[in-house]
Amino acid sequence: MIQIFTKTNELKKHLTQLKNGGKIIGFAPTMGALHNGHLSLIAQSNNQCDITASSIFVNPTQFDNKEDLVKYPDTTRKDITILDAKGTDILYLPTVEEVYPDGTKPTIDFDFGYLTTIAEGAYRAGHFEGVAQIVSILLDIVTPHKIFMGQKDFQQCALVHQLIRFKQIDTEIVVCPIIREADGLAMSSRNMRLGDQEREKAIILSQALQWVKKNYANANIADLEEQAKTMINETEFCKADYIEIRDRTTLKPIADNSIKDNVVVLGAAYVGTVRLIDNMIIF
Ligand code: PAF
C-alpha cells in the first residue's frame, strides 16, 4: 500500500529508517499527469531497488510560460491510484510552501553554462535553472540510491547528471527509454492538450527525427536539420522550434556526419499551441 507524505520532515524520518535497515531507495520525480512513460520509471525502480519513492509536485520555478503552469493537468487522485497499483511504496506530495518555505526565488548556485543555453534552454529562459533547483531540493530530501528519469527529456537528464556531479552525491541516474504511442508520438502529459486533428498531425515530430536518423549518412548536418524542420513546418498546425544533431554527452553540435558515435537528434515543435519535444539516439 502506497504511503503518502505531505510533510518533508516525516518523509525524511521514514526514509532514514528504511536506509538504516539497508534498503535501496529508488526515486522517480514527477509533476503528475502520469502516463506510461512515468510508469516505466516506476517499473525500473521496482526492478532495481527495494523501495520505490515518487513525487508529484508541479514545480512553479521551471515554468517559463505561466500559461503552461495554469493549464498543467491536475490528475492527482487518479495518479495516486495508478502509482499504488504499480507498486510505488512512497509518494511525496508536498505543497509549494512546504518545498519553498522561503519563497520560490532562484536558489541554485551551480553554473550549468552551455547545457542550459542551447536547445530547450535557448527557448525557455530560466526553465533548467528551475529544474535544477527542484531536483536539487528533492535529492536533498530523498537522498535516493538511484534516480529514474525519462530519456524524452534528454537535456534534463544531462542537466541532472551534471547536478549530481556538482553536488558530489552518490545517487546514480538511470535514464529510461522513451515510451511511444503506437504511431510513434512520444508520450507526454502535454499530449492531453492536443485536439483530435492536432493529435493526428503531432506524429510529424517523431517522423522528422526518424527521417534524420535514417538519412544521417546521406546529407550534411545543416541540411538534415533544415529538411526536418521543413517537414514539420509543412504539416498543418505544426511549427518547428529546433531540430539539432548533438553529441549525447556534451550536447555540443556535431561537426559532420563522419562522426558515428554518441550522436542524438533533439527536436521541439508547436502543434497548435502545445509545445512538444522529442529526441532520437542516432548512435
Ligand atoms: O520531468 C519532470 O516531470 C520535471 O521536470 C521534474 C524532473 C519532475 C522536476 O520538476
Side-chain angles (χ1 to χ4, degrees):
M1 181 80 184
I2 192 164
Q3 270 183 289
I4 301 174
F5 293 83
T6 54
K7 296 286 170 229
T8 304
N9 53 0
E10 287 168 19
L11 172 66
K12 277 178 155 175
K13 206 167 126 201
H14 183 63
L15 285 167
T16 303
Q17 279 168 2
L18 289 168
K19 279 177 223 156
N20 288 345
K23 300 289 188 207
I24 300 294
I25 314 290
F27 178 48
T30 83
M31 300 204 298
L34 301 183
H35 50 71
N36 287 343
H38 296 109
L39 301 184
S40 77
L41 310 184
I42 300 293
Q44 291 242 22
S45 175
N46 279 338
N47 279 342
Q48 297 183 31
C49 304
D50 301 318
I51 299 290
T52 293
S54 185
S55 56
I56 298 178
F57 180 65
V58 181
N59 173 38
T61 71
Q62 70 187 72
F63 286 84
D64 50 307
N65 175 349
K66 293 301 162 207
E67 200 187 321
D68 266 356
L69 175 59
V70 174
K71 287 196 178 154
Y72 203 83
D74 179 358
T75 56
T76 307
R77 288 176 77 119
K78 191 170 145 224
D79 292 343
I80 294 173
T81 310
I82 298 172
L83 287 173
D84 192 18
K86 296 293 170 187
T88 312
D89 301 291
I90 292 170
L91 175 65
Y92 181 44
L93 188 64
T95 60
V96 173
E97 292 71 30
E98 185 71 15
V99 173
Y100 295 113
D102 301 321
T104 54
K105 56 192 172 307
T107 51
I108 256 308
D109 289 333
F110 308 124
D111 181 5
F112 294 90
Y114 188 74
L115 262 187
T116 53
T117 59
I118 58 139
E120 281 305 281
Y123 285 84
R124 304 184 64 188
H127 167 67
F128 284 123
E129 286 75 6
V131 170
Q133 180 182 26
I134 186 61
V135 175
S136 180
I137 291 170
L138 292 171
L139 284 170
D140 288 343
I141 294 171
V142 181
T143 59
H145 296 86
K146 298 188 184 201
I147 182 168
F148 293 83
M149 311 219 41
Q151 184 206 313
K152 201 197 112 232
D153 295 299
F154 197 93
Q155 199 172 352
Q156 172 169 277
C157 291
L159 181 92
V160 172
H161 233 120
Q162 184 59 46
L163 176 69
I164 289 171
R165 273 202 292 274
F166 280 145
K167 288 170 78 73
Q168 298 188 305
I169 53 175
D170 287 332
T171 303
E172 177 193 338
I173 174 169
V174 180
V175 178
C176 305
I178 299 176
I179 306 293
R180 296 183 180 280
E181 302 287 355
D183 64 358
L185 177 68
M187 288 197 187
S188 163
S189 307
R190 291 175 181 225
N191 296 352
M192 293 180 196
R193 285 168 46 199
L194 296 168
D196 288 348
Q197 285 178 315
E198 290 167 347
R199 168 63 191 84
E200 235 175 73
K201 302 291 178 190
I203 53 167
I204 191 65
L205 178 56
S206 67
Q207 284 174 345
L209 298 176
Q210 190 67 52
W211 180 87
V212 169
K213 182 174 169 140
K214 203 167 145 220
N215 291 283
Y216 183 78
N218 308 327
N220 69 46
I221 300 287
D223 286 348
L224 287 166
E225 293 173 346
E226 252 344 282
Q227 291 199 42
K229 276 194 271 191
T230 304
M231 282 172 74
I232 293 169
N233 291 337
E234 285 177 350
T235 304
E236 202 184 356
F237 310 122
C238 301
K239 180 162 183 325
D241 259 356
Y242 62 83
I243 298 286
E244 289 176 1
I245 300 172
R246 301 255 164 190
D247 178 275
R248 276 164 60 184
T249 314
T250 62
L251 295 191
K252 299 239 164 166
I254 293 291
D256 62 69
N257 65 2
S258 66
I259 297 168
K260 298 208 163 31
D261 184 33
N262 217 36
V263 181
V264 65
V265 53
L266 307 171
Y270 276 95
V271 182
T273 58
V274 183
R275 189 170 180 281
L276 302 179
I277 61 169
D278 196 352
N279 64 82
M280 231 163 258
I281 289 171
I282 301 183
F283 299 105

